[in-house]
Amino acid sequence: MVQLDVVRSCNSTLVKTQPLVAVFVGGTSGIGENTIRALATTHSDQGKGLRLYIVGRNADAAKKTISECVRVCPVGQFRFVQAGDLSLLREVDHVCSEITRMEGDENANGGSARVDLLVMSHAYFPLLFQPRNDTKEGLDMNMSLLYYSRMRFIVKLLPLLLASPLPAHVVSVYAAGKEGKILPEDLSLRTPQQYGVANLRSHVTHMTTFFMEKLAEQNPGHLSLTHVYPGLVFTEAFSSAGLPTWFKVAFRLSAPFVRPLTVPLEENGQRTLFLATPRYPARQVVKSETTADRDDASTNNGAIEIAVGTDGNRGSGAYACDPNGETVPLKPTYKKLREEGLAGKVWDHTMKAFSDIEAGGVFTG
C-alpha cells in the first residue's frame, strides 16, 4: 500500500512541475469531483498553473464545483463543457471538438494547446441493474459509458495528449483487476443470456487492458494509461433515483456497518490524482540493456518504485491499479488470451465500432 503521505507528496510535486491542463469526464459528481477537488486543493496558489475542463450534463452541479475550486485555487482556470448523452460516440466526438476548440482559443496568442491529464469516471450506476439497452448507434449503454466512449475520448483527444511534455496521463475509473470470464465471439455481449453485471464488468476490464496496452505501445514516451478499481467510495451514486428498491433498502441497512471499510472522499481524490504522477510512466521509446525492466527505477527522490505494467514489465505505459495505488497482478488467463490473439481482436473490434458509427451507421459487431 502506498502511504497517503507519499501520495500527497507526489501530487504536490506534480503540480509544481509545470502548468497543468486537465480534462475530467464525469467531473460534476462522484469520484471525478473528488479528484477535481484534490487537484485544486493540492495546487492552491503554490502550483505552476492549472486549467481544468469539467465535462458533464449538470451545469448547476458544475457551477457549484467550480465555485469551490476557485475558492481554494484562485489562480486556476475552470471551464465547464456541457455534454449530452455520453453513451453516444457522436456526442463524445462533439465534446472532444469543443475541448479542442476551447484549448486552441486559450493558446491563440502563443503557447501549446495540450491535455496533460484525462480522467474518466462517467457512468450511470442504476444501469448496472437493468437488462441490455442499446443506443441508436448499436452499443449497449452500459458498455459504451464504461468502455467504448472512454476509449473514444482517448482517441479523439490524442493530438492534445501527445502535445503534453509530461508525458500525458489517462485514468479510467471502474474495475481494474475484477476480470472473470470473457467471450471472444461476443465481445459486445449481444446474447441476452450472456449479458449481466459480472460479464459486463469482466468484458469492460479485459478490453480496457488490451486497448490501453496498444495505445501505450503505439505512443512510447508520450502516453501513460491506467485503469483503476477505486474501492468502495460512498458517493451520491448510491442514492440515485433509478436504483431498484431492494438495493436502496439493503444499502440503508448495511451502510453503518460497511462505512468503516470505505475509502474517504478526500483520500479517494488524492489517490486518483496520484495515478498521474511519474510512478506510472509512459513506455520507454527505446529499451536499453540496463533499463529494460526498470527494476531499480524509482521516483519522488527514491521514495517510491515505478509501477509494473499490465504486461508484467516495470514502466510499460499501461497499468491496472487497486484503491491503494498498487498495481494489480493480472489473472493467469491473460497469457492464454494473448496467445490466442484476443488483444488484436479487441483493438479491431473497437476501431470497427468507431469507424461504423463515425460513418453514420449502426454497429452490429
Side-chain angles (χ1 to χ4, degrees):
M1 175 177 178
V2 183
Q3 297 301 311
L4 191 55
D5 61 337
V6 175
V7 168
R8 296 186 195 280
S9 175
C10 290
N11 290 347
S12 178
T13 300
L14 173 67
V15 302
K16 294 175 182 176
T17 301
Q18 66 162 58
L20 295 176
V21 179
V23 174
F24 284 79
V25 186
T28 58
S29 64
I31 292 171
E33 183 184 13
N34 295 344
T35 313
I36 288 171
R37 293 177 189 275
L39 178 53
T41 301
T42 302
H43 186 283
S44 183
D45 58 359
Q46 304 299 313
K48 291 282 190 177
L50 176 63
R51 182 162 55 253
L52 195 151
Y53 298 95
I54 302 175
V55 179
R57 303 181 71 168
N58 191 330
D60 290 337
K63 184 177 180 180
K64 182 173 180 286
T65 300
I66 289 173
S67 176
E68 294 174 359
C69 286
V70 169
R71 179 176 55 81
V72 299
C73 183
V75 298
Q77 300 173 294
F78 302 91
R79 309 281 187 261
F80 176 56
V81 183
Q82 181 74 58
D85 182 357
L86 290 177
S87 69
L88 299 175
L89 300 194
R90 294 185 191 101
E91 180 63 15
V92 172
D93 290 357
H94 169 74
V95 169
C96 290
S97 295
E98 185 66 6
I99 292 170
T100 301
R101 180 193 65 77
M102 294 170 71
E103 180 61 11
D105 289 347
E106 292 287 349
N107 293 276
N109 296 320
S112 173
R114 69 185 192 280
V115 171
D116 303 305
L117 171 61
L118 169 62
V119 178
M120 298 169 289
S121 57
H122 58 293
Y124 183 52
F125 191 34
L127 279 178
L128 293 173
F129 301 93
Q130 299 175 14
R132 181 184 173 96
N133 181 12
D134 277 14
T135 70
K136 61 185 178 183
E137 295 174 339
L139 299 174
D140 170 60
M141 187 175 290
N142 247 326
M143 284 197 75
S144 185
L145 288 170
L146 295 169
Y147 175 70
Y148 295 101
S149 76
R150 297 187 184 198
M151 300 307 105
R152 184 64 172 178
F153 265 107
I154 303 172
V155 170
K156 294 302 288 185
L157 291 177
L158 197 57
L160 291 176
L161 291 164
L162 296 181
S164 171
L166 278 180
H169 285 72
V170 173
V171 177
S172 181
V173 180
Y174 180 46
K178 302 301 179 182
E179 297 92 338
K181 68 177 182 179
I182 187 167
L183 306 165
E185 302 309 317
D186 189 14
L187 291 176
S188 295
L189 291 176
R190 295 191 181 277
T191 306
Q193 296 87 339
Q194 303 288 3
Y195 188 87
V197 174
N199 281 351
L200 172 71
R201 181 181 62 235
S202 183
H203 274 230
V204 167
T205 307
H206 276 102
M207 292 165 73
T208 298
T209 294
F210 288 134
F211 200 85
M212 284 187 165
E213 284 182 350
K214 184 68 172 181
L215 286 171
E217 179 186 339
Q218 290 178 339
N219 300 282
H222 294 287
L223 195 61
S224 168
L225 305 105
T226 302
H227 63 132
V228 59
Y229 170 63
L232 185 57
V233 184
F234 274 0
T235 68
E236 53 268 45
F238 284 90
S239 58
S240 297
L243 288 169
T245 301
W246 68 263
F247 179 88
K248 294 177 183 178
V249 173
F251 174 71
R252 186 166 59 250
L253 293 175
S254 63
F257 306 100
V258 175
R259 189 170 296 278
L261 305 176
T262 64
V263 182
L265 302 186
E266 193 273 340
E267 179 178 343
N268 165 250
Q270 289 287 343
R271 289 193 178 278
T272 306
L273 179 60
F274 176 61
L275 302 175
T277 66
R279 173 177 164 87
Y280 311 93
R283 179 186 292 256
Q284 288 176 291
V285 177
V286 178
K287 285 192 173 184
S288 68
E289 291 183 3
T290 57
T291 62
D293 293 317
R294 297 187 179 183
D295 286 330
D296 60 349
S298 61
T299 185
N300 206 45
N301 296 321
I304 192 165
E305 282 188 325
I306 285 176
V308 175
T310 52
D311 65 356
N313 294 314
R314 195 175 299 280
S316 66
Y319 309 92
C321 291
D322 69 13
N324 299 315
E326 299 290 359
T327 50
V328 180
L330 289 191
K331 309 290 186 191
T333 51
Y334 266 98
K335 183 176 185 296
K336 181 181 179 183
L337 293 173
R338 294 185 199 282
E339 292 172 350
E340 293 173 348
L342 186 60
K345 184 171 183 177
V346 166
W347 176 266
D348 292 343
H349 166 92
T350 307
M351 298 307 290
K352 181 68 162 57
F354 291 171
S355 61
D356 285 359
I357 293 170
E358 186 173 6
V362 175
F363 182 60
T364 59

mmCIF file of all heavy atoms in Angstrom, residues 290-314:
data_model
loop_
_atom_site.group_PDB
_atom_site.id
_atom_site.type_symbol
_atom_site.label_atom_id
_atom_site.label_comp_id
_atom_site.label_asym_id
_atom_site.label_seq_id
_atom_site.Cartn_x
_atom_site.Cartn_y
_atom_site.Cartn_z
ATOM 1 N N THR A 290 20.349 -1.852 -19.796
ATOM 2 C CA THR A 290 20.439 -1.514 -18.375
ATOM 3 C C THR A 290 19.114 -1.076 -17.781
ATOM 4 O O THR A 290 18.949 -1.079 -16.577
ATOM 5 C CB THR A 290 21.464 -0.386 -18.162
ATOM 6 O OG1 THR A 290 21.077 0.749 -18.960
ATOM 7 C CG2 THR A 290 22.847 -0.845 -18.553
ATOM 8 N N THR A 291 18.153 -0.708 -18.624
ATOM 9 C CA THR A 291 16.877 -0.218 -18.090
ATOM 10 C C THR A 291 15.691 -0.964 -18.661
ATOM 11 O O THR A 291 14.569 -0.502 -18.597
ATOM 12 C CB THR A 291 16.706 1.292 -18.395
ATOM 13 O OG1 THR A 291 16.694 1.479 -19.810
ATOM 14 C CG2 THR A 291 17.813 2.113 -17.761
ATOM 15 N N ALA A 292 15.933 -2.145 -19.221
ATOM 16 C CA ALA A 292 14.869 -2.867 -19.917
ATOM 17 C C ALA A 292 13.639 -3.068 -19.058
ATOM 18 O O ALA A 292 12.516 -2.923 -19.528
ATOM 19 C CB ALA A 292 15.385 -4.226 -20.393
ATOM 20 N N ASP A 293 13.820 -3.396 -17.792
ATOM 21 C CA ASP A 293 12.672 -3.629 -16.931
ATOM 22 C C ASP A 293 12.538 -2.585 -15.830
ATOM 23 O O ASP A 293 11.665 -2.683 -14.985
ATOM 24 C CB ASP A 293 12.778 -5.021 -16.290
ATOM 25 C CG ASP A 293 12.650 -6.123 -17.332
ATOM 26 O OD1 ASP A 293 11.772 -5.987 -18.190
ATOM 27 O OD2 ASP A 293 13.432 -7.079 -17.268
ATOM 28 N N ARG A 294 13.418 -1.599 -15.817
ATOM 29 C CA ARG A 294 13.388 -0.542 -14.811
ATOM 30 C C ARG A 294 13.302 -1.113 -13.394
ATOM 31 O O ARG A 294 12.645 -0.580 -12.520
ATOM 32 C CB ARG A 294 12.204 0.407 -15.035
ATOM 33 C CG ARG A 294 12.252 1.167 -16.356
ATOM 34 C CD ARG A 294 11.150 2.197 -16.433
ATOM 35 N NE ARG A 294 11.203 2.940 -17.675
ATOM 36 C CZ ARG A 294 10.396 3.943 -17.982
ATOM 37 N NH1 ARG A 294 9.471 4.321 -17.141
ATOM 38 N NH2 ARG A 294 10.500 4.582 -19.118
ATOM 39 N N ASP A 295 13.955 -2.226 -13.167
ATOM 40 C CA ASP A 295 13.832 -2.902 -11.870
ATOM 41 C C ASP A 295 14.351 -2.061 -10.716
ATOM 42 O O ASP A 295 13.905 -2.210 -9.581
ATOM 43 C CB ASP A 295 14.574 -4.245 -11.894
ATOM 44 C CG ASP A 295 13.816 -5.275 -12.706
ATOM 45 O OD1 ASP A 295 12.576 -5.188 -12.754
ATOM 46 O OD2 ASP A 295 14.461 -6.148 -13.301
ATOM 47 N N ASP A 296 15.322 -1.171 -10.988
ATOM 48 C CA ASP A 296 15.861 -0.367 -9.911
ATOM 49 C C ASP A 296 15.345 1.070 -9.981
ATOM 50 O O ASP A 296 15.852 1.954 -9.314
ATOM 51 C CB ASP A 296 17.396 -0.382 -9.968
ATOM 52 C CG ASP A 296 17.919 0.171 -11.290
ATOM 53 O OD1 ASP A 296 17.096 0.358 -12.219
ATOM 54 O OD2 ASP A 296 19.129 0.421 -11.392
ATOM 55 N N ALA A 297 14.356 1.283 -10.828
ATOM 56 C CA ALA A 297 13.886 2.646 -11.052
ATOM 57 C C ALA A 297 12.945 3.092 -9.943
ATOM 58 O O ALA A 297 12.150 2.312 -9.426
ATOM 59 C CB ALA A 297 13.170 2.735 -12.402
ATOM 60 N N SER A 298 13.057 4.352 -9.589
ATOM 61 C CA SER A 298 12.184 4.917 -8.567
ATOM 62 C C SER A 298 11.896 6.357 -8.914
ATOM 63 O O SER A 298 12.501 6.935 -9.809
ATOM 64 C CB SER A 298 12.830 4.820 -7.183
ATOM 65 O OG SER A 298 14.048 5.540 -7.156
ATOM 66 N N THR A 299 10.949 6.937 -8.179
ATOM 67 C CA THR A 299 10.563 8.319 -8.418
ATOM 68 C C THR A 299 10.357 9.015 -7.088
ATOM 69 O O THR A 299 10.408 8.393 -6.028
ATOM 70 C CB THR A 299 9.284 8.383 -9.280
ATOM 71 O OG1 THR A 299 9.006 9.743 -9.585
ATOM 72 C CG2 THR A 299 8.112 7.765 -8.560
ATOM 73 N N ASN A 300 10.117 10.341 -7.151
ATOM 74 C CA ASN A 300 9.944 11.149 -5.939
ATOM 75 C C ASN A 300 11.130 10.970 -4.987
ATOM 76 O O ASN A 300 10.978 10.651 -3.813
ATOM 77 C CB ASN A 300 8.639 10.785 -5.218
ATOM 78 C CG ASN A 300 8.117 11.959 -4.393
ATOM 79 O OD1 ASN A 300 8.101 13.083 -4.871
ATOM 80 N ND2 ASN A 300 7.694 11.692 -3.172
ATOM 81 N N ASN A 301 12.342 11.209 -5.545
ATOM 82 C CA ASN A 301 13.585 11.118 -4.771
ATOM 83 C C ASN A 301 13.779 9.738 -4.129
ATOM 84 O O ASN A 301 14.248 9.616 -2.991
ATOM 85 C CB ASN A 301 13.618 12.200 -3.688
ATOM 86 C CG ASN A 301 13.643 13.602 -4.279
ATOM 87 O OD1 ASN A 301 14.310 13.838 -5.284
ATOM 88 N ND2 ASN A 301 12.920 14.522 -3.664
ATOM 89 N N GLY A 302 13.400 8.707 -4.854
ATOM 90 C CA GLY A 302 13.620 7.361 -4.369
ATOM 91 C C GLY A 302 12.588 6.852 -3.389
ATOM 92 O O GLY A 302 12.718 5.746 -2.862
ATOM 93 N N ALA A 303 11.520 7.649 -3.147
ATOM 94 C CA ALA A 303 10.541 7.262 -2.127
ATOM 95 C C ALA A 303 9.622 6.151 -2.591
ATOM 96 O O ALA A 303 9.030 5.452 -1.770
ATOM 97 C CB ALA A 303 9.713 8.476 -1.714
ATOM 98 N N ILE A 304 9.522 5.956 -3.905
ATOM 99 C CA ILE A 304 8.534 5.006 -4.391
ATOM 100 C C ILE A 304 8.988 4.411 -5.724
ATOM 101 O O ILE A 304 9.590 5.099 -6.562
ATOM 102 C CB ILE A 304 7.162 5.710 -4.537
ATOM 103 C CG1 ILE A 304 6.069 4.696 -4.764
ATOM 104 C CG2 ILE A 304 7.186 6.776 -5.604
ATOM 105 C CD1 ILE A 304 4.695 5.280 -4.557
ATOM 106 N N GLU A 305 8.740 3.122 -5.912
ATOM 107 C CA GLU A 305 9.146 2.445 -7.131
ATOM 108 C C GLU A 305 8.221 2.773 -8.295
ATOM 109 O O GLU A 305 7.034 3.009 -8.107
ATOM 110 C CB GLU A 305 9.121 0.928 -6.925
ATOM 111 C CG GLU A 305 10.298 0.367 -6.169
ATOM 112 C CD GLU A 305 10.281 -1.143 -6.177
ATOM 113 O OE1 GLU A 305 9.180 -1.725 -6.143
ATOM 114 O OE2 GLU A 305 11.366 -1.735 -6.225
ATOM 115 N N ILE A 306 8.779 2.741 -9.491
ATOM 116 C CA ILE A 306 7.962 2.839 -10.693
ATOM 117 C C ILE A 306 7.106 1.581 -10.798
ATOM 118 O O ILE A 306 7.540 0.479 -10.488
ATOM 119 C CB ILE A 306 8.852 3.028 -11.929
ATOM 120 C CG1 ILE A 306 9.377 4.477 -11.960
ATOM 121 C CG2 ILE A 306 8.114 2.697 -13.213
ATOM 122 C CD1 ILE A 306 10.340 4.761 -13.074
ATOM 123 N N ALA A 307 5.868 1.756 -11.219
ATOM 124 C CA ALA A 307 4.886 0.668 -11.215
ATOM 125 C C ALA A 307 5.156 -0.365 -12.310
ATOM 126 O O ALA A 307 5.746 -0.064 -13.355
ATOM 127 C CB ALA A 307 3.485 1.244 -11.387
ATOM 128 N N VAL A 308 4.670 -1.565 -12.058
ATOM 129 C CA VAL A 308 4.717 -2.644 -13.044
ATOM 130 C C VAL A 308 3.460 -2.577 -13.906
ATOM 131 O O VAL A 308 2.344 -2.450 -13.395
ATOM 132 C CB VAL A 308 4.806 -4.017 -12.349
ATOM 133 C CG1 VAL A 308 4.721 -5.150 -13.376
ATOM 134 C CG2 VAL A 308 6.085 -4.118 -11.539
ATOM 135 N N GLY A 309 3.631 -2.638 -15.214
ATOM 136 C CA GLY A 309 2.508 -2.525 -16.131
ATOM 137 C C GLY A 309 1.733 -3.826 -16.289
ATOM 138 O O GLY A 309 2.112 -4.880 -15.758
ATOM 139 N N THR A 310 0.660 -3.753 -17.039
ATOM 140 C CA THR A 310 -0.202 -4.923 -17.220
ATOM 141 C C THR A 310 0.451 -6.018 -18.054
ATOM 142 O O THR A 310 -0.038 -7.158 -18.074
ATOM 143 C CB THR A 310 -1.539 -4.522 -17.876
ATOM 144 O OG1 THR A 310 -1.277 -3.762 -19.062
ATOM 145 C CG2 THR A 310 -2.380 -3.687 -16.926
ATOM 146 N N ASP A 311 1.549 -5.696 -18.736
ATOM 147 C CA ASP A 311 2.269 -6.740 -19.479
ATOM 148 C C ASP A 311 3.342 -7.408 -18.619
ATOM 149 O O ASP A 311 4.104 -8.245 -19.107
ATOM 150 C CB ASP A 311 2.881 -6.173 -20.758
ATOM 151 C CG ASP A 311 3.958 -5.127 -20.481
ATOM 152 O OD1 ASP A 311 4.179 -4.779 -19.290
ATOM 153 O OD2 ASP A 311 4.587 -4.653 -21.453
ATOM 154 N N GLY A 312 3.418 -7.020 -17.336
ATOM 155 C CA GLY A 312 4.383 -7.620 -16.424
ATOM 156 C C GLY A 312 5.717 -6.914 -16.357
ATOM 157 O O GLY A 312 6.583 -7.282 -15.554
ATOM 158 N N ASN A 313 5.911 -5.872 -17.165
ATOM 159 C CA ASN A 313 7.166 -5.130 -17.184
ATOM 160 C C ASN A 313 7.022 -3.806 -16.446
ATOM 161 O O ASN A 313 5.990 -3.131 -16.557
ATOM 162 C CB ASN A 313 7.609 -4.872 -18.629
ATOM 163 C CG ASN A 313 7.956 -6.150 -19.355
ATOM 164 O OD1 ASN A 313 8.657 -7.006 -18.823
ATOM 165 N ND2 ASN A 313 7.463 -6.288 -20.582
ATOM 166 N N ARG A 314 8.061 -3.446 -15.724
ATOM 167 C CA ARG A 314 8.026 -2.193 -14.982
ATOM 168 C C ARG A 314 8.059 -1.001 -15.946
ATOM 169 O O ARG A 314 8.856 -0.951 -16.873
ATOM 170 C CB ARG A 314 9.215 -2.126 -14.012
ATOM 171 C CG ARG A 314 9.072 -1.052 -12.943
ATOM 172 C CD ARG A 314 10.223 -1.107 -11.948
ATOM 173 N NE ARG A 314 10.303 -2.376 -11.239
ATOM 174 C CZ ARG A 314 9.542 -2.705 -10.193
ATOM 175 N NH1 ARG A 314 8.630 -1.848 -9.750
ATOM 176 N NH2 ARG A 314 9.688 -3.869 -9.599
#
